[in-house]
Amino acid sequence: MLMMKSYNFPSTYEATNQEFSHVADCLLNGIKLKLGNNDYIIGNLALREGYSPHKNINTGPGEEEYKLLAQAGLLLATSENEGTINLTVGFPFSTYMLYRDQVDEVLGGKHVITFDKGTFGDCQFETKEIVIANVDVMPEIAGCITALREGALHVQGNFFMVSLGFGTCEAAVSMSSGMLNRSTVSMNGINYAVKLFEHELMKKYYMELKTEHQLDILFQKGQITINRVRHDVTDLRKKVLRMYYNDVISPRLRKSFIDDDFSKCNQMYLAGGGAYYPELVECFREEFGDTLMISVYPEPEKCASHGYCLNSKLKARTGANSFETMDPDDFLKNVSQLAVGLDVGNANTCVCLSDYND
């Protein structure tokens, strides 16, 4: 069985001029990078030590945030494994064509990453050289389908795939012969519900100018603390998730999925961070449960990165892309040792890796 290792961290960052010493127990919880002339704390460290950690929605590969999160992911991928990397990344179907040609320029080739080891150890800034032998790009929904078909579940036949991301929700019909392009749809993600949640809260509470990520954390917990008093807001979360489903998801799926699709499919798989909300999963079961079996992918927020990693492994074995003329055995032995999938998501960044010997 294919063995993959994953790292997952919040897609938050903040510029800083502070020095940190022994504030984290490992690199994952203590990521501090230098980009240009500035230092940045990223992910868990930004949430703990930052004053106003922030994130952007559907950032492009040329933007500062994407570069920071990508460098953090590559650093984690090589923290315990050496060797050049065969990398796959993805973007929402709606922006995939726009960004795919920029990715190789941003991520391909050699990277010299400067990071602060003092956050979790005795050293200060250190540099690490990482070589990306090949970069492949695919739509996020295709990454999720790859995870289902080529991963541990080995799903066969035809099925509906829905990825419930923070910035974008995507859906498609996957046939044994390939993804139906006609059925593919992108729409607003969970942040739509989080904004509804914020508006409702502001009617009752002073929210102290909380950032989008801080509101997302409150939304996940279903609890807020105001003036040292805890308030349960799970009923409000259920209300806005149902509004989001009824106003955004359901109408778009009705336009994209036709009767012929339902005659050929009897399964629907849900992935992405939104699949953790039972209230939202229940909405799918209420609408489609009489026709389809609804299943949630294990660790749903990692689904796309799992698929990207599997794609990297498959591409290397077949000598695809820029290595088409190279013998696959020579490629594996001399060029790349790690297959990596990097999902720079709006809520979390997931990096998944596999040694080619697995």
Side-chain angles (χ1 to χ4, degrees), residues 46-331:
L47 292 183
R48 280 204 318 275
E49 299 287 353
Y51 293 99
S52 184
H54 53 281
K55 60 185 177 185
N56 295 325
I57 299 298
N58 293 334
T59 183
E63 296 179 40
E64 177 183 76
E65 180 190 20
Y66 189 92
K67 294 175 182 178
L68 283 168
L69 297 174
Q71 284 195 7
L74 293 174
L75 190 62
L76 286 166
T78 56
S79 60
E80 298 178 10
N81 304 270
E82 296 298 329
T84 54
I85 289 174
N86 197 63
L87 178 67
T88 299
V89 299
F91 295 97
F93 195 83
S94 56
T95 59
Y96 163 72
M97 297 291 286
L98 176 65
Y99 292 143
R100 64 175 183 176
D101 293 335
Q102 300 178 33
V103 171
D104 192 60
E105 180 180 341
V106 173
L107 294 178
K110 183 190 297 184
H111 296 261
V112 179
I113 299 176
T114 303
F115 66 106
D116 188 357
K117 292 185 70 173
T119 60
F120 58 94
D122 295 325
C123 300
Q124 292 301 312
F125 278 97
E126 184 174 301
T127 59
K128 183 163 191 174
E129 183 177 293
I130 298 174
V131 178
I132 310 298
N134 187 60
V135 183
D136 196 26
V137 190
M138 62 196 309
E140 287 180 5
I141 194 71
C144 293
I145 291 170
T146 300
L148 284 164
R149 291 197 179 276
E150 305 295 338
L153 297 181
H154 288 293
V155 177
Q156 305 294 314
N158 310 322
F159 57 86
F160 294 96
M161 182 78 236
V162 182
S163 176
L164 298 161
F166 184 81
T168 307
C169 171
E170 298 197 309
V173 175
S174 176
M175 310 294 285
S176 298
S177 56
M179 186 171 70
L180 282 182
N181 194 73
R182 177 264 304 159
S183 70
T184 306
V185 60
S186 294
M187 65 197 93
N188 289 326
I190 297 297
N191 68 311
Y192 183 98
V194 174
K195 290 184 182 299
L196 293 175
F197 180 73
E198 178 186 13
H199 293 154
E200 291 295 319
L201 287 178
M202 289 174 65
K203 295 176 183 178
K204 297 178 62 177
Y205 308 110
Y206 172 54
M207 299 305 295
E208 298 179 342
L209 304 177
K210 293 188 181 299
T211 67
E212 190 169 38
H213 187 80
Q214 290 168 330
L215 284 165
D216 184 32
I217 295 298
L218 297 177
F219 189 76
Q220 292 173 35
K221 291 180 176 179
Q223 186 181 88
I224 64 171
T225 301
I226 304 290
N227 294 326
R228 295 180 289 185
V229 177
R230 293 189 181 92
H231 302 272
D232 186 293
V233 290
T234 51
D235 286 343
L236 175 57
R237 185 178 69 186
K238 181 177 182 178
K239 173 186 174 182
V240 298
L241 282 170
R242 186 166 289 275
M243 290 170 63
Y244 165 54
Y245 184 86
N246 291 337
D247 294 344
V248 177
I249 296 178
S250 182
R252 295 298 298 275
L253 295 188
R254 282 198 296 269
K255 289 183 179 180
S256 298
F257 298 160
I258 62 177
D259 285 344
D260 187 55
D261 299 329
F262 287 93
S263 71
K264 295 175 180 177
C265 303
N266 59 15
Q267 295 244 16
M268 176 179 284
Y269 289 92
L270 306 180
Y276 279 115
Y277 296 110
E279 307 97 316
L280 190 54
V281 174
E282 184 58 29
C283 290
F284 282 93
R285 292 203 166 108
E286 288 177 6
E287 180 166 4
F288 298 105
D290 292 339
T291 308
L292 305 171
M293 179 177 292
I294 311 296
S295 301
V296 176
Y297 184 84
E299 296 184 291
E301 84 284 4
K302 298 179 180 179
C303 184
S305 65
H306 287 171
Y308 299 159
C309 182
L310 288 162
N311 180 74
S312 292
K313 199 173 185 78
L314 291 167
K315 290 285 186 177
R317 281 179 169 170
T318 57
N321 296 335
S322 59
F323 297 96
E324 285 180 342
T325 60
M326 184 179 294
D327 181 85
D329 291 335
D330 289 340
F331 176 85

